[in-house]
Amino acid sequence: MEGFIDWRGNPINKGKHGGRRAAAFIYVIVVMSNLAFVPTTTDMVGYLRETMHMDLAATSSTVTTFIGGTCLSALLGGCLSDSYINRFTTILIFGPIEFLGFCLLAIQAHLPSLQPPSCDISSPLGGCQHVDGYKALLLYVAMYTVALGEGCLRANFESFGADQFDDEDLGELHHKSSFFNWYGFCCLAGPLVGFTLTVWVANNVGWEYGFALSAGAMLLGLMTLVAGFSFYRYQRPIGSPLTRMLQVLVAAFRNRKLVLSDNGEELLLELVNKEEEGEMLAHTKGLKWLDKASFSQGNQSRWSSCSLSQVEETKIVLRMLPIFVCAVFGYMSIPQLITFTVQQGSTMDTKVGPVEIPTASLLLIPVVLQMILLIAYDRFFVPSARNITGYRSGITHLQRVGVGFVATSVAAFLAGIVEWKRKQIAEAHGIVEITESKVPMSVMWLGIQFLALGTTDAFMFVGLLEFFNSEVSRGMKSLGTAVFWCVIGLASFMGSLLVQLVNRQTGWLVGNNLNKNYLDRYYWLLAFIGTVAFLSYLYFAKRYVYRHNPHLLLA
């Protein structure tokens, strides 16, 4: 494999380096990282309300912004590993940073002097003091230290795992397609343990012990990754992909007055000697204005004349841009559904028989469903569909994402119906004003929207992840993964912005009393936005041309 070396800096040996054995070590740290991080995001809802005394809207905005910051941090991790240091080194740098963030959260949760004075958050006369001053500063430093570390790790886990498989080897290519499904499975296996163990510890023993457990899981994952260092294939960074794309745009602007020949072969022959180290990309016909960046007018600077592969790299990213934008709007409801559903559950009957279920543990429903769907998808659906469609992955990446779009809108619509019913029951029992009283409606009703959410992530999450990683060039794989996480990050930020905008215009989510709020209307607004995003997505997805023909099995 060109562009890859072993840990000593020598050319790789396929028999010793990479493959499923190397991927096994990566699976472990993915499980541990998600065990640490994902339950923390749901625990944070209760922690911010009960300990830091934030209201409903502030809690939702803080958590979704935290998720958004995590995902946008992936850009930093992707740029660093593609440009200057390899993916393994990036993980070793930012893993301990995330560990430090969890330790800071545990310390603040343990020391009452670093928290607002205790009070009854459910009572309007509780006189609760919102976290502020140096206590708020410590909280945000701890949260965004975790976000920085987790984001940079996310940009590299999947790309580092994909590096262990050769795209030019038919056998390894099939294993690579399977890797993405099992990577998604590992992203769920961690939360499966976390939502039963970490959430229980945080709710029954103490928030500080929950955060400490997350720190321990992160440390164990890093130790496991290091143990497999001699089995990995390491990519050689070839410079910043963002710089390369910017050079193309500047050179195309400088050469904008050039008139291109209609003969594409002429362009290819003129530029073939200018290629640099990295993947050699074939010339494509679209976005011809960027081809002008490849011509030299006497100035050999990269800001005046770029290689053919640089131009094609930029074309790939621009072609994916409409899919990216639609995905942001389509994904916007998911972080909102998670945070608000946890708050809904806190007002409902959480007992199932003699057992009391922490609301955050309800997220086990979509996690278990996703795990079942991913196993069935990889082991049964893909082989069967492959024989029918001829697609290597059974159906195309964008078809898989489309199923997730539909499930997202359905989840938001169903969530609105369940919330409407919850409010009707609260009104019928005369407890609309009594926030400390539980609505006599089983918390298991929230499982309906969680089932739809499980279908969303099994299709949309893995589909987008594989799409962005497969379409970008070899020199920007981590950035491609970071672009995927940016979808979730921007969706989270836009969700926070939408909450504030809706509150300002309608007052639907003001205050701490869900019984008097209009969360059902907000859910239906999310369903409407998701439906518009899906229709826009259909338009662009039908016109998208894959870089590699998905019909080819390379047999």
Side-chain angles (χ1 to χ4, degrees):
M1 291 174 64
E2 187 179 347
F4 289 89
I5 54 176
D6 67 8
W7 66 280
R8 292 189 176 93
N10 300 320
I12 64 166
N13 181 335
K14 281 191 175 183
K16 296 180 179 179
H17 305 117
R20 287 182 289 182
R21 178 176 60 179
F25 292 93
I26 300 169
Y27 289 146
V28 174
I29 191 173
V30 171
V31 171
M32 292 296 109
S33 174
N34 281 276
L35 189 158
F37 180 79
V38 178
T40 298
T41 60
T42 53
D43 277 342
M44 198 66 70
V45 175
Y47 179 64
L48 293 178
R49 287 203 67 200
E50 297 173 18
T51 304
M52 297 300 168
H53 307 157
M54 293 186 181
D55 63 21
L56 292 171
T59 297
S60 176
S61 294
T62 301
V63 172
T64 51
T65 303
F66 170 62
I67 295 171
T70 299
C71 298
L72 291 182
S73 295
L75 279 177
L76 173 63
C79 290
L80 282 175
S81 59
D82 281 336
S83 309
Y84 308 109
I85 54 178
N86 62 41
R87 300 186 235 287
F88 180 75
T89 305
T90 305
I91 294 171
L92 291 188
I93 291 173
F94 288 97
I97 290 177
E98 182 176 1
F99 171 77
L100 174 62
F102 283 124
C103 290
L104 290 175
L105 285 172
I107 291 170
Q108 184 172 29
H110 181 68
L111 298 175
S113 60
L114 299 177
Q115 306 164 15
S118 60
C119 69
D120 183 4
I121 189 69
S122 64
S123 172
L125 302 176
C128 293
Q129 178 185 336
H130 190 290
V131 64
D132 59 4
Y134 72 91
K135 299 172 184 177
L137 177 62
L138 177 59
L139 172 67
Y140 291 127
V141 167
M143 288 179 64
Y144 287 99
T145 299
V146 172
L148 174 64
E150 177 69 18
C152 291
L153 294 183
R154 287 184 176 191
N156 288 280
F157 284 155
E158 180 263 350
S159 301
F160 188 47
D163 285 345
Q164 310 310 312
F165 303 95
D166 185 0
D167 287 344
E168 306 301 324
D169 184 299
L170 178 59
E172 291 199 12
L173 189 61
H174 287 318
H175 292 321
K176 182 176 180 178
S177 181
S178 183
F179 164 80
F180 286 104
N181 288 319
W182 287 106
Y183 173 84
F185 182 87
C186 290
C187 287
L188 300 169
L192 178 65
V193 177
F195 288 136
T196 51
L197 178 61
T198 308
V199 170
W200 184 89
V201 168
N203 283 273
N204 294 278
V205 183
W207 298 111
E208 64 269 44
Y209 295 101
F211 294 136
L213 191 59
S214 293
M218 192 68 245
L219 184 61
L220 179 60
L222 286 170
M223 292 169 62
T224 304
L225 183 78
V226 172
F229 76 98
S230 63
F231 299 115
Y232 303 136
R233 300 171 182 175
Y234 302 89
Q235 104 284 6
R236 283 195 292 247
I238 59 173
S240 171
L242 294 178
T243 301
R244 294 197 299 271
M245 288 189 289
L246 184 59
Q247 287 172 339
V248 170
L249 296 175
V250 171
F253 178 78
R254 287 180 171 179
N255 297 338
R256 63 190 181 279
K257 295 183 179 180
L258 285 176
V259 178
L260 294 179
S261 167
D262 291 333
N263 187 352
E265 292 297 321
E266 178 183 326
L267 174 65
L268 187 60
L269 289 172
E270 180 175 343
L271 302 174
V272 70
N273 293 325
K274 293 170 58 177
E275 297 299 340
E276 56 189 39
E277 182 182 1
E279 186 177 5
M280 306 284 280
L281 301 176
H283 176 249
T284 57
K285 295 180 180 180
L287 299 172
K288 289 187 176 181
W289 59 277
L290 287 177
D291 290 337
K292 297 179 181 181
S294 300
F295 284 93
S296 172
Q297 299 190 78
N299 188 344
Q300 296 300 317
S301 165
R302 281 295 187 194
W303 296 94
S304 298
S305 177
C306 303
S307 70
L308 176 64
S309 289
Q310 269 186 274
V311 172
E312 293 303 321
E313 249 184 356
T314 307
K315 287 184 179 182
I316 290 169
V317 173
L318 291 181
R319 288 185 181 117
M320 292 193 300
L321 189 59
I323 302 296
F324 173 86
V325 173
C326 293
V328 168
F329 283 94
Y331 225 101
M332 188 169 66
S333 63
I334 296 178
Q336 301 280 295
L337 280 167
I338 292 173
T339 55
F340 279 122
T341 299
V342 172
Q343 296 186 57
Q344 275 179 280
S346 66
T347 71
M348 301 170 71
D349 180 8
T350 55
K351 286 187 176 180
V352 178
V355 180
E356 185 157 348
I357 301 176
T359 308
S361 293
L362 287 176
L363 289 169
L364 283 172
I365 295 173
V367 167
V368 171
L369 177 62
Q370 289 171 58
M371 295 176 76
I372 294 172
L373 286 175
L374 284 172
I375 294 174
Y377 187 91
D378 185 73
R379 293 303 178 190
F380 303 107
F381 176 77
V382 171
S384 301
R386 185 185 292 148
N387 293 330
I388 298 172
T389 65
Y391 292 135
R392 185 171 59 250
S393 54
I395 57 177
T396 68
H397 307 322
L398 295 181
Q399 287 172 342
R400 184 173 185 174
V401 172
V403 176
F405 263 96
V406 174
T408 302
S409 296
V410 170
F413 180 74
L414 292 176
I417 294 177
V418 172
E419 172 60 10
W420 174 80
K421 182 63 176 177
R422 190 196 66 81
K423 289 175 60 181
Q424 292 289 105
I425 294 175
E427 185 176 349
H429 286 78
I431 56 174
V432 171
E433 299 287 348
I434 311 174
T435 55
E436 59 269 23
S437 295
K438 298 284 187 179
V439 176
M441 178 180 182
S442 174
V443 74
M444 295 305 294
W445 279 98
L446 298 178
I448 296 174
Q449 60 221 57
F450 276 141
L451 284 172
L453 275 179
T455 305
T456 294
D457 268 356
F459 286 87
M460 197 172 187
F461 179 93
V462 181
L464 282 172
L465 189 62
E466 190 168 4
F467 170 72
F468 286 120
N469 183 271
S470 301
E471 289 299 295
V472 297
S473 66
R474 188 184 304 154
M476 54 193 309
K477 290 294 185 183
S478 290
L479 186 63
T481 304
V483 167
F484 161 74
W485 289 112
C486 280
V487 168
I488 302 177
L490 288 175
S492 298
F493 280 126
M494 291 183 64
S496 297
L497 183 63
L498 183 64
V499 168
Q500 297 174 26
L501 182 62
V502 166
N503 264 348
R504 188 176 304 160
Q505 298 298 321
T506 67
W508 285 352
L509 304 172
V510 173
N512 283 318
N513 191 344
L514 269 180
N515 297 331
K516 296 176 66 176
N517 288 343
Y518 294 94
L519 183 58
D520 48 351
R521 298 179 185 177
Y522 184 72
Y523 280 148
W524 289 326
L525 174 62
L526 290 177
F528 173 75
I529 293 173
T531 302
V532 173
F534 172 62
L535 295 175
S536 302
Y537 171 83
L538 280 182
Y539 175 84
F540 292 110
K542 288 180 66 176
R543 287 159 178 77
Y544 186 84
V545 178
Y546 289 91
R547 188 160 74 95
H548 301 295
N549 187 347
H551 257 115
L552 298 178
L553 295 176
L554 304 182

